[in-house]
Amino acid sequence: MELIITYPKLFFITLTLVLLFFFRKNNKRRVFLVDFSCYKPPKNQQVDRQTFVDKSTKTLCYNKDSLEFMDKMLERSGLGDKTYLSKGLLKEPIDNSAEAAKEEVEMAIFGVIDELLLKTGVQCEDIGILITVFCGYNIMPSVSSVIVKRYNLRHDIRTYNVTGMGCTAGLVALGLVQNLLKVHDNSCALVVTSESTTANVYKGNDRSKLLTNCIFRVGAVALLLSNKPSDLNTSKYELIHTVRSQTSDDDRSYNCIFMEEDVEGHRGVTINKNLLYAAIKTIRLNISTVAPLVLPLSEKFRYLVNLISTKSKVKPYSPNFSKSIDHFFPHVGGKPVLDDLQNKLGFSDEQMEASRMTLYRIGNTSSSSIWYEVAYAEAKGRVKKGDALWQIAFGSGFKCNSVIWKAIRSVNRDEMNPWRDEIHEFPVDVSDIEVIPDLFVASK
C-alpha cells in the first residue's frame, strides 16, 4: 500500500517535531546554587608568619636549614599575617591526634552547615543528596555519616565521599551533583568541602614536603544546590558548564604531588619542581575545552584564523576571555600560577583581585579556597545579574576542573559573608612579593 503524505499532514508532522524539540530543550533540568557559606574561624586562631616560625622552632623537630627555608617560603608565598591555624597546631606542644583533627573538622563543617541552613531556610528533610569533599582526611564512619547523624538527615539520602583528589575535588563534586540532579526530580543537594591541617602536618626535614605546612590553612564551605523550578527566583547562580581534564598519563604530572613517607618515616606530601610544568600543561588543556563553550564568536573566529595561518612569523593568538567572563576565580595554588593565568587569559588586576586577596587573607584551604574568592567579589558588590563566573581549580593527579556559573540576581554586599566586617581593608598591595625560582625544588 502506497503511503501518501499530503501537505497538511507534512505540516502537522513538522510542527509536532519542532514543538517536541523545543519542549525537550526547555524542559532540561536546570541546576541552581541557592547559596553557600564559608567558614571563618575565631580570631584566637589567627597566626602571623613570625609566630608560625617560632612555634615550629619550639614544638617540631626541624633543623636550622628547614626553619630558614620555611621562613623564606612564608615571606614570599603571598600569605598575610591573619590566616588561621587549627587549635591543635597552636598548642605547645602541638596536638595532631585523631581527636584534635576531629575537633578541627567538626568545628568547620558544622559551622558552615549551620550558617547555610540559617541563610537558606531549607529543612533538613528536604536534602536528598549529600557530598563531602576532603583530600587527606579520611575517617570511619565517613564524614558524610557524621553529618547525617548530626543533622538527623533522612534515611534514604544519597551520600558520597570524595577523597584523595586534591584541591580540585570541590569542582569534581559539582560535576557529580550536576549529573545526579539530571535524574532526580525536585531535589536539593548539600556539598561540604574542607580539610584537616592538624592531621596532615609534616614533622620531618625533607624540603619538598615542607611547603604544605606553610601555605595550607583552616577553611570550609557548604553549598546548597537545587533543580527545583521554584528555587529559580531565590537562588544566586545557575550552573552552566563543568569541564574536567587530567594528565595522569604523564609521569612528570603524576609524580609532582605525592603523599609518602620520608627516610625517617614521617608522612608528608611531596611537591617537587615539576609542579609548575604539570599545572600549566593541565590548565591549558582544560582551557582549550572551555574556550569554545564561553568565547564570543568574534574571539573564536580570530583564534581559528590564527590557527590555520601558514605564516611562520604570526604570533600565536591568545583569546581574551574577559570579553565573555565577568569574574575569574582560579585556585590560590601559588603566585606563579596566578601570574601565568592572568597573562595568558587577558584578565585585569581587578578580575584577579579575589584570588590574590584570598591567598593573602585566608591562605590555601584546599578545594574550598575558590568559594572565599566568590565571597570576596560578593562582598565588594561586584556580582550583578547576568554576570558570568568562571571557577578553575587544579590538584594532584594532575587534574584541572572548570565550572561556569551565571548570576541569576545581583548579590547584596551586606549579605552574610566571611569578608563583610573587613572588606573595606582590601585590596592590599602584594605586587612586591618576589617569587623564589627554586621554591618547589626538592632538597638533594
Side-chain angles (χ1 to χ4, degrees):
M1 180 178 178
E2 185 177 354
L3 180 63
I4 301 175
I5 300 179
T6 62
Y7 283 113
K9 287 182 179 179
L10 182 62
F11 173 77
F12 177 77
I13 293 171
T14 304
L15 180 62
T16 302
L17 291 174
V18 170
L19 290 175
L20 283 172
F21 171 78
F22 280 104
F23 174 78
R24 291 190 64 179
K25 182 177 180 181
N26 293 327
N27 199 42
K28 177 182 176 183
R29 290 191 181 94
R30 301 165 69 183
V31 177
F32 309 115
L33 176 62
V34 181
D35 212 332
F36 68 95
S37 290
C38 296
Y39 178 62
K40 189 172 185 178
K43 286 187 177 181
N44 60 11
Q45 289 182 223
Q46 286 183 359
V47 62
D48 57 39
R49 179 169 62 90
Q50 191 57 53
T51 301
F52 181 89
V53 174
D54 291 345
K55 183 165 289 294
S56 298
T57 304
K58 294 177 182 178
T59 63
L60 293 171
C61 300
Y62 297 133
N63 59 36
K64 181 180 178 181
D65 289 342
S66 294
L67 291 169
E68 289 177 352
F69 181 69
M70 285 195 297
D71 188 40
K72 182 169 64 172
M73 284 195 294
L74 285 165
E75 182 182 357
R76 304 184 182 182
S77 64
L79 273 69
D81 283 336
K82 291 185 178 181
T83 58
Y84 301 95
L85 282 181
S86 68
K87 286 184 175 180
L89 296 184
L90 289 171
K91 293 181 179 178
E92 292 186 14
I94 70 164
D95 179 4
N96 68 326
S97 64
E99 190 61 32
K102 178 174 178 286
E103 180 185 15
E104 174 195 359
V105 168
E106 291 187 351
M107 279 183 63
I109 63 175
F110 294 162
V112 286
I113 294 174
D114 288 348
E115 182 176 287
L116 184 63
L117 295 177
L118 178 64
K119 289 170 70 173
T120 62
V122 67
Q123 301 300 309
C124 290
E125 58 265 26
D126 293 332
I127 300 172
I129 299 168
L130 170 64
I131 301 175
T132 63
V133 182
F134 286 81
C135 183
Y137 184 72
N138 193 8
I139 59 173
M140 187 180 300
S142 64
V143 177
S144 66
S145 296
V146 172
I147 294 173
V148 169
K149 183 178 186 301
R150 165 83 175 196
Y151 293 93
N152 195 26
L153 301 182
R154 53 199 239 193
H155 72 277
D156 63 342
I157 190 170
R158 298 170 180 85
T159 60
Y160 303 85
N161 296 276
V162 180
T163 62
M165 298 190 73
C167 299
T168 188
L171 296 188
V172 173
L174 289 174
L176 175 59
V177 168
Q178 185 181 41
N179 289 331
L180 289 170
L181 291 180
K182 286 180 181 177
V183 296
H184 298 293
D185 288 327
N186 294 311
S187 296
C188 286
L190 175 64
V191 178
V192 181
T193 174
S194 186
E195 192 50 82
S196 171
T197 57
T198 305
N200 295 309
V201 64
Y202 172 64
K203 298 180 178 180
N205 289 286
D206 185 340
R207 181 176 293 189
S208 66
K209 296 177 176 61
L210 290 171
L211 181 62
T212 55
N213 284 5
C214 297
I215 66 172
F216 281 92
R217 294 293 186 265
V218 175
V221 67
L223 319 169
L224 182 68
L225 296 105
S226 169
N227 62 3
K228 298 179 180 180
S230 58
D231 285 330
L232 170 62
N233 295 326
T234 56
S235 297
K236 282 186 175 180
Y237 306 104
E238 180 177 359
L239 180 57
I240 306 300
H241 300 294
T242 57
V243 177
R244 296 184 62 181
S245 305
Q246 64 176 311
T247 54
S248 299
D249 57 332
D250 184 324
D251 286 344
R252 292 176 67 186
S253 292
Y254 180 76
N255 292 307
C256 70
I257 303 178
F258 221 88
M259 181 176 284
E260 58 187 0
E261 292 183 346
D262 63 16
V263 293
E264 296 178 344
H266 299 297
R267 191 184 70 164
V269 177
T270 297
I271 299 179
N272 64 39
K273 61 184 179 182
N274 289 320
L275 174 62
L276 197 56
Y277 157 83
I280 292 174
K281 177 181 179 179
T282 316
I283 290 169
R284 286 177 177 173
L285 178 63
N286 188 264
I287 290 171
S288 67
T289 307
V290 172
L293 300 175
V294 301
L295 286 174
L297 187 59
S298 59
E299 287 295 299
K300 292 178 185 177
F301 178 74
R302 294 180 65 182
Y303 180 74
L304 179 62
V305 169
N306 181 270
L307 188 66
I308 63 178
S309 175
T310 57
K311 297 180 180 180
S312 59
K313 294 184 179 180
V314 173
K315 183 180 178 181
Y317 176 67
S318 297
N320 187 351
F321 282 87
S322 64
K323 292 186 177 181
S324 55
I325 299 293
D326 300 289
H327 307 281
F328 182 54
F329 304 115
H331 173 60
V332 295
K335 189 174 184 296
V337 177
L338 295 180
D339 291 343
D340 185 74
L341 285 172
Q342 181 175 12
N343 293 334
K344 293 293 190 298
L345 304 182
F347 289 112
S348 65
D349 288 340
E350 183 176 292
Q351 287 172 307
M352 297 296 297
E353 184 181 307
S355 249
R356 299 189 190 283
M357 294 306 101
T358 296
L359 179 62
Y360 179 83
R361 176 63 181 86
I362 308 296
N364 187 337
T365 61
S366 192
S367 56
S368 65
S369 299
I370 50 177
W371 290 103
Y372 288 92
E373 299 174 38
V374 179
Y376 180 93
E378 291 182 351
K380 282 289 185 180
R382 293 174 180 170
V383 179
K384 306 300 181 183
K385 181 177 180 180
D387 282 358
L389 292 74
W390 180 7
Q391 292 176 309
I392 184 170
F394 33 88
S396 58
F398 200 85
K399 298 178 291 294
C400 180
N401 292 266
S402 285
V403 172
I404 307 296
W405 302 92
K406 181 180 179 180
I408 298 173
R409 60 178 176 86
S410 298
V411 179
N412 189 330
R413 69 171 66 201
D414 294 325
E415 293 184 20
M416 198 178 297
N417 187 297
W419 296 88
R420 183 175 57 183
D421 296 335
E422 53 185 316
I423 192 63
H424 61 280
E425 300 175 11
F426 296 92
V428 298
D429 185 13
V430 295
S431 60
D432 60 342
I433 296 176
E434 300 177 16
V435 177
I436 305 172
D438 62 343
L439 182 62
F440 301 111
V441 179
S443 58
K444 296 181 180 180

